[in-house]
């Protein structure tokens, strides 16, 4: 009978493969768009950064974790573990920031031209690449401390080991440093999640008002047409909501695992599986809604 740990490892491996195919397809799709138009639309630029972050998240999070159960327990040395965890945390943080930016940009783009956000609405598409690059720089610098908290599996006998991850181990530095790290990382995550909720709320209000405004059309048409603007807004709203849900579930499992010394491996792997659900599913949702997003960008 297959153990639960092995089943999760196989699921993570399959999830990583599917996610890599999806993100590669998204990259290829926008490269073709770039060849046709010689430039990417603002929303496509954000999605490209998101796809890159998702790819790194899957590579650094999924593949190493599934190697240990298949006999490659010590395939990463101390330096390898530090690099894998560093880039995984950078990619995961950037995925959070980019999804937040995607929701904010969409909420801003559907604002009326006579609103107080009108000036920012027209200026933001020209400078949309700058916040994406700043996000990468911020997370590359802000996560420098992560390698200090990770060690190779060969050092598992060390008394400072807090969490056994199967192929690497997370170590406990000291109470002050751990508290500072927790406050910094949590603050950034809470701010981004708060902005996502604000953007989602704005889009929901817009959709409700839009529905009220055109409700009389529904009574005169048997099959009313949904505007590209509304379709694109709904697609990004689903994307942002999916991130919030999977992030919350993954964080809950990770926090629960961190409260105990050397928790069971299935708990850690379940957290990894939930964290990788968004990078796996998001490219397929974006590919499906691409025609609606492109229509919206053209209208903007």
């Amino acid at each position: 009978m297959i153990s639960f740990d092995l089943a999760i490892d196989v699921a993570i491996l399959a999830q990583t493969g599917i996610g890599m195919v999806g993100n590669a397809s998204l990259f290829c799709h926008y490269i073709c768009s770039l060849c046709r138009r010689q430039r990417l639309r603002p929303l496509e630029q954000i999605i490209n950064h998101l796809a890159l972050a998702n790819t790194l998240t899957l590579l650094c999070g999924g593949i190493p974790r599934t190697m240990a159960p298949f006999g490659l327990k010590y395939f990463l040395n101390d330096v390898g573990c530090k690099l894998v965890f560093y880039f995984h945390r950078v990619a995961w943080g950037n995925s959070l920031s980019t999804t937040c930016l995607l929701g904010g940009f969409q909420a801003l783009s559907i604002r009326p031209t006579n609103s107080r956000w009108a000036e920012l609405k027209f200026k933001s598409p020209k400078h949309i690449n700058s916040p994406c690059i700043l996000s990468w720089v911020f997370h590359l610098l802000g996560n420098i401390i992560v390698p200090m908290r990770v060690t190779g599996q060969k050092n598992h006998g060390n008394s400072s080991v807090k969490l056994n991850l199967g192929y690497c181990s997370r170590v406990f530095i000291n109470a002050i440093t751990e508290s500072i790290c927790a406050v910094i990382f949590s603050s950034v995550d809470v701010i981004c999640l708060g902005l996502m909720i604000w953007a989602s709320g704005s889009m929901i209000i817009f959709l409700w008002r839009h529905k009220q405004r055109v409700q009389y059309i529904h009574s005169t048409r048997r099959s009313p047409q949904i505007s590209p603007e509304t379709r694109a807004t709904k697609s990004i709203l689903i994307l942002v909501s999916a991130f919030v849900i999977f992030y919350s579930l993954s964080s809950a499992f990770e926090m629960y695992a961190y409260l105990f010394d050397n928790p069971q491996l299935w708990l850690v792997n379940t957290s990894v599986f939930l964290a990788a659900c968004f990078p796996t599913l998001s490219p397929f949702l974006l590919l499906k809604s691409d025609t609606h997003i492109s229509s919206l960008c053209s209208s903007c």
Side-chain angles (χ1 to χ4, degrees):
M1 185 175 180
I2 300 177
S3 66
F4 183 70
D5 287 341
L6 182 60
I8 291 184
D9 289 325
V10 172
I12 292 175
L13 186 61
Q15 184 187 49
T16 302
I18 294 171
M20 292 295 295
V21 170
N23 284 286
S25 301
L26 194 62
F27 273 125
C28 292
H29 178 73
Y30 286 135
I31 288 173
C32 293
S33 299
L34 182 61
C35 293
R36 289 197 306 268
R37 298 193 305 265
Q38 301 301 316
R39 62 175 299 179
L40 291 176
R41 299 184 177 102
L43 219 55
E44 292 173 338
Q45 294 178 33
I46 302 175
I47 292 172
N48 263 350
H49 285 278
L50 179 61
L52 177 59
N54 287 343
T55 302
L56 277 176
T57 301
L58 291 169
L59 280 174
C60 297
I63 293 180
R65 199 171 299 270
T66 53
M67 293 296 103
F70 294 103
L72 298 174
K73 190 174 182 180
Y74 301 111
F75 73 104
L76 283 177
N77 57 16
D78 194 54
V79 176
C81 284
K82 293 180 185 297
L83 289 176
V84 164
F85 264 81
Y86 174 68
F87 285 110
H88 180 266
R89 178 64 202 185
V90 169
W92 174 247
N94 197 71
S95 180
L96 172 65
S97 302
T98 308
T99 306
C100 175
L101 179 63
L102 184 66
F105 180 80
Q106 178 65 10
L108 188 64
S109 67
I110 62 177
R111 292 277 180 174
T113 54
N114 58 352
S115 68
R116 59 181 178 177
W117 301 93
E119 185 177 357
L120 183 59
K121 173 182 177 177
F122 289 116
K123 286 184 178 180
S124 59
K126 300 177 183 178
H127 308 286
I128 200 64
N129 228 7
S130 299
C132 294
I133 295 174
L134 285 175
S135 174
W136 282 104
V137 173
F138 172 79
H139 288 290
L140 283 169
L141 296 177
N143 289 284
I144 290 178
I145 196 171
V146 170
M148 298 171 56
R149 306 170 69 199
V150 180
T151 185
Q153 184 65 14
K154 289 183 179 181
N155 298 327
H156 180 59
N158 195 316
S159 60
S160 63
V161 169
K162 174 72 175 178
L163 187 62
N164 176 21
L165 300 167
Y167 62 100
C168 295
S169 299
R170 184 180 295 173
V171 298
F172 182 86
I173 303 175
N174 57 65
I176 296 177
T177 305
E178 292 289 335
S179 300
I180 292 174
C181 291
V183 170
I184 293 175
F185 293 150
S186 300
S187 298
V188 174
D189 292 355
V190 168
I191 291 172
C192 288
L193 288 174
L195 291 174
M196 283 187 196
I197 293 172
W198 169 81
S200 300
S202 299
M203 288 188 281
I204 290 172
I205 292 173
F206 167 81
L207 291 175
W208 180 78
R209 288 179 177 174
H210 181 73
K211 183 178 180 180
Q212 295 294 109
R213 199 174 294 121
V214 298
Q215 196 166 9
Y216 68 94
I217 299 177
H218 294 186
S219 59
T220 58
R221 294 183 181 178
R222 291 185 178 179
S223 55
Q225 297 295 321
I226 301 177
S227 67
E229 185 179 50
T230 301
R231 289 182 183 273
T233 303
K234 287 181 176 179
S235 297
I236 295 180
L237 185 60
I238 293 173
L239 190 74
V240 172
S241 301
F243 186 95
V244 173
I245 291 171
F246 287 126
Y247 174 85
S248 301
L249 291 173
S250 174
S251 297
F253 273 88
E254 186 175 357
M255 186 178 298
Y256 182 76
Y258 189 74
L259 292 176
F260 302 94
D261 290 329
N262 292 322
Q264 294 184 357
L265 198 57
W266 72 266
L267 193 63
V268 180
N269 286 340
T270 302
S271 174
V272 174
F273 178 81
L274 291 171
C277 283
F278 177 79
T280 302
L281 298 176
S282 60
F284 297 102
L285 177 62
L286 289 168
L287 285 169
K288 180 181 178 181
S289 61
D290 178 71
T291 54
H292 311 309
I293 293 176
S294 299
S295 301
L296 173 61
C297 291
S298 301
S299 63
C300 290

